[in-house]
Amino acid sequence: MSAILPPPERIWWNLPVGKEEIVWIALSLTWCLIMFAMMPLWHFYGKQNLSNEAYRITASQFEARTKAMADQYEVRTESAMNIPVVHPPAIGDALPNGETSTGDVYMLGRLWQWWPMLELEKDKSYRLHLSSLDWQHGFSLQPININMQVLPDYEMVLTITPDTSGEFTIVCNEYCGINHHTMLGKIYVKE
Ligand SMILES: [Cu+2]
């Protein structure tokens, strides 16, 4: 049989299916169903999902809250870029007015910086609020690899408990313009 002859008269879907083909279809269908079931299972048992919440907020509201926190809890500035380093109280810490802290800490993304820098304490919990003042940025905490999309008009709140002390760098991992590669931030975790 060659390609210059017309195809044989036959109805292909009435022909018997080869055994190998049936085996492959059964294998791929089984794998498909396993993967499908893993999506909800892994959501609950994989522990890779961040415990985050999202709220609507305007850029000016978020900027005002971030600035208020930075003004209140600034401990020093980093000489190179003059960015304040802020040491806010954690969830449950006693405040000077006798109340306990809700541990709300703020960090904003904008062209092209993460502001301010945070100094947190190991094994204490915080509610980290993230938003953007202009357009989309990506919060990527290195080297432990926490990733969040940071969008204007939305405030993402992550409940975090740093369990390792040291210096953690935040890089922007959503391309945001000519100085995207310089958009670096810092979180210090003290013992
Ligand atoms: Cu960015």
Side-chain angles (χ1 to χ4, degrees), residues 27-108:
L27 279 175
S28 34
L29 181 66
T30 311
W31 187 241
C32 234
L33 292 173
I34 291 172
M35 298 292 273
F36 187 73
M38 282 307 284
M39 286 192 280
L41 276 177
W42 203 244
H43 179 84
F44 293 106
Y45 296 109
K47 292 184 178 168
Q48 89 282 28
N49 288 298
L50 296 167
S51 52
N52 62 311
E53 307 156 31
Y55 304 98
R56 294 299 295 251
I57 195 165
T58 65
S60 54
Q61 280 174 327
F62 193 80
E63 185 178 26
R65 288 180 201 181
T66 310
K67 201 164 178 313
M69 175 205 69
D71 289 345
Q72 194 174 357
Y73 297 113
E74 179 177 328
V75 284
R76 61 179 186 275
T77 58
E78 291 277 304
S79 54
M81 291 177 287
N82 220 21
I83 291 184
V85 179
V86 178
H87 189 132
I91 294 174
D93 281 358
L95 296 175
N97 63 9
E99 291 175 9
T100 53
S101 169
T102 52
D104 291 283
V105 303
Y106 296 82
M107 182 177 284
L108 59 85

Side-chain angles (χ1 to χ4, degrees), residues 109-111 114 132 134-138 149-150 172 174 176 183:
R110 63 182 162 203
L111 299 174
W114 296 105
S132 163
D134 34 52
W135 57 65
Q136 175 168 267
H137 298 288
Q149 261 185 322
V150 179
C172 182
E174 291 279 1
C176 59
M183 187 164 166

